[in-house]
Amino acid sequence: MAGRWKNDLKWSDVTPKADYLNRRQIMAGAAAAAALAAGPALSGAKIRAVPSAYSTDEAPNSYEDITSYNNFYEFGTSKTDPAKNAHRLTTDPWSVRVDGLVDRPGNYDLADILKGVTLEERIYRLRCVEAWSAVIPWVGFELADLLNRVGVQPSAKYVYFETLVRPSEMIGQKSRVLDWPYREGLRLDEAMHPLTILATGLYGEEMPNQNGAPIRLVVPWKYGFKSIKSIVRISLVEKQPQATWNMQNPREYGFYSNVNPEVDHPRWSQASERRIGGGLFSRRIPTRMFNGYGDQVAGLYAGMDLRKFY
Ligand SMILES: Nc1nc2c(c(=O)[nH]1)N[C@H]1C(S)=C(S)[C@@H](COP(=O)(O)O)O[C@H]1N2
Ligand SMILES: [Mo]
C-alpha cells in the first residue's frame, strides 16, 4: 500500500496464512532455535507473539537458566527459592487495579487487558544490580499501550506499581525481609518509552511463576530490580513514588537506577557482569551504559547528572 509506513505492517500481512497458524508449533521468533537447542521441556502453554525490531540478536539464555536462577523475594531470598516455591501462587483469576490520575480507573481483569494488545517477542538483556545478567526472550506488549487505553491525565508525572501481597502463597512474605508490597516506579516518559513492556510470557509461553506470572514489568536499560513482578496495581501519580530497594537502602539503590558501568555500587564494581549459564567457568563481560540501550534512551536523561541521579 503506497505511503504506508513499514512499521504499520502486521505479522499477518507479511506471513502466508498457513505459516502464521503453524507458528503455534514452532514458537515465537528467534527464540525457537535456542529453545530447541536448550533442551528442557517447556510448559506447553504456547502464546502467539510477533517478532520485534527491538530484540537483540544475542543468543538467549536457556529456558532452564532463566527459570532456575531468579530474584523474587516473595518466595525466598536465595536464587533457587523462587523455582522451588512459586508454583504455589494462584495466577488465575488475576486483575490489575489501575487508579490515580487516569480517565478510566478500574479493576481490570487480566484477560480484558490482553484483549486489545499485540503480543510481541522482545529479546532483551537483563542486568541485575548484583552484577549478573541474562538474555531473555520475553513475550509482552508496550506499557504505553495500556496507559493510552486508560487515559493518562496531564497532571500525572510518574507511574507507581505494586506486587501482590498474599503470604499464604508467597511464603517469603512471612518474613519481613522487605516492607511488602514490593513496589516500584518510573517517570512517565520512561514508562511511555517503547522499550518498556509488560511481559506475560517468555520463550513463547505463559510466564513461569518464578519470573513474575502472570504479568510483570521489563525495563531493559535499568537494573533488574526495577522490573517488578506479579503486578496487581498501577497508579498514575504526581510525585515520585516509593520504590522498594530505594526505600530499603537509598544510599545503595537510587530511584532511577539506570545501568551505569561508571558508577559503582558502594560494595562492588558495576564495570562488568557475569552472564548466567556459564557454569564454573562463566565469563565476565563488560557492562554497557544503559545496558546497551543508550541510543534509544539516553535522551530521556539529557541535562541530568547521571552520577548523582543513579
Ligand atoms: N515483586 C518482585 N519483583 C522483582 C523482584 C522481587 O524480589 N520481587 N526482584 C527483582 C530483581 S532484583 C531482578 S534482578 C529481577 C529478576 O527477574 P528474573 O528472575 O525474571 O530474571 O526481578 C525483579 N523484580
Ligand atoms: Mo536484581
Side-chain angles (χ1 to χ4, degrees), residues 66 69-74 126 128 132 136 138 163 178 182 210-211 216 224-225 227-229 245:
I66 292 167
Y69 189 91
N70 302 97
N71 272 333
F72 200 168
Y73 276 30
E74 284 84 342
L126 175 99
C128 175
W132 56 267
I136 305 180
W138 302 110
T163 296
L178 292 175
Y182 194 100
Q210 59 267 41
N211 293 88
R216 58 92 55 88
F225 65 82
S227 293
I228 181 172
K229 296 176 167 180
W245 285 102

Side-chain angles (χ1 to χ4, degrees), residues 138-309:
W138 302 110
V139 173
F141 61 96
E142 292 178 12
L143 173 60
D145 284 358
L146 177 63
L147 296 181
N148 288 332
R149 270 161 75 198
V150 297
V152 177
Q153 297 180 349
S155 52
K157 300 283 180 289
Y158 295 87
V159 187
Y160 168 73
F161 305 84
E162 275 179 13
T163 296
L164 179 70
V165 180
R166 192 185 285 160
S168 60
E169 294 181 358
M170 300 176 118
I171 61 168
Q173 287 179 337
K174 293 181 199 282
S175 130
R176 296 229 184 148
V177 58
L178 292 175
D179 182 9
W180 315 110
Y182 194 100
R183 42 202 119 170
E184 259 307 336
L186 295 173
R187 214 170 58 190
L188 185 59
D189 58 347
E190 299 176 321
M192 295 298 280
H193 193 281
L195 281 172
T196 303
I197 60 168
L198 287 171
T200 58
L202 57 82
Y203 264 116
E205 298 196 349
E206 274 172 25
M207 190 68 79
N209 283 5
Q210 59 267 41
N211 293 88
I215 186 165
R216 58 92 55 88
L217 186 70
V218 181
V219 192
W221 72 93
K222 291 178 178 284
Y223 289 119
F225 65 82
K226 298 291 293 182
S227 293
I228 181 172
K229 296 176 167 180
S230 303
I231 295 168
V232 292
R233 184 174 175 207
I234 300 178
S235 240
L236 278 290
V237 297
E238 205 174 319
K239 299 220 169 68
Q240 183 177 299
Q242 290 189 317
T244 288
W245 285 102
N246 180 236
M247 287 160 67
Q248 179 87 353
N249 193 339
R251 213 178 62 84
E252 299 193 352
Y253 309 103
F255 175 80
Y256 282 90
S257 287
N258 294 314
V259 174
N260 188 342
E262 288 162 25
V263 178
D264 287 339
H265 185 278
R267 291 181 279 131
W268 59 83
S269 165
Q270 294 292 28
S272 70
E273 64 203 51
R274 181 184 61 83
R275 258 306 141 74
I276 63 166
L280 212 49
F281 304 100
S282 71
R283 61 211 168 97
R284 286 195 87 83
I285 53 178
T287 289
R288 297 159 70 187
M289 188 67 196
F290 296 114
N291 201 24
Y293 297 96
D295 287 352
Q296 290 105 302
V297 303
L300 296 174
Y301 309 102
M304 276 177 75
D305 179 351
L306 294 174
R307 294 189 162 270
K308 204 162 151 213
F309 294 94

Side-chain angles (χ1 to χ4, degrees), residues 80-107:
T80 49
D81 285 341
K84 268 184 235 150
N85 299 327
H87 65 91
R88 297 188 190 206
L89 179 65
T90 310
T91 57
D92 185 13
W94 194 273
S95 58
V96 179
R97 177 148 67 102
V98 182
D99 62 6
L101 304 166
V102 291
D103 295 334
R104 287 171 287 282
N107 207 20

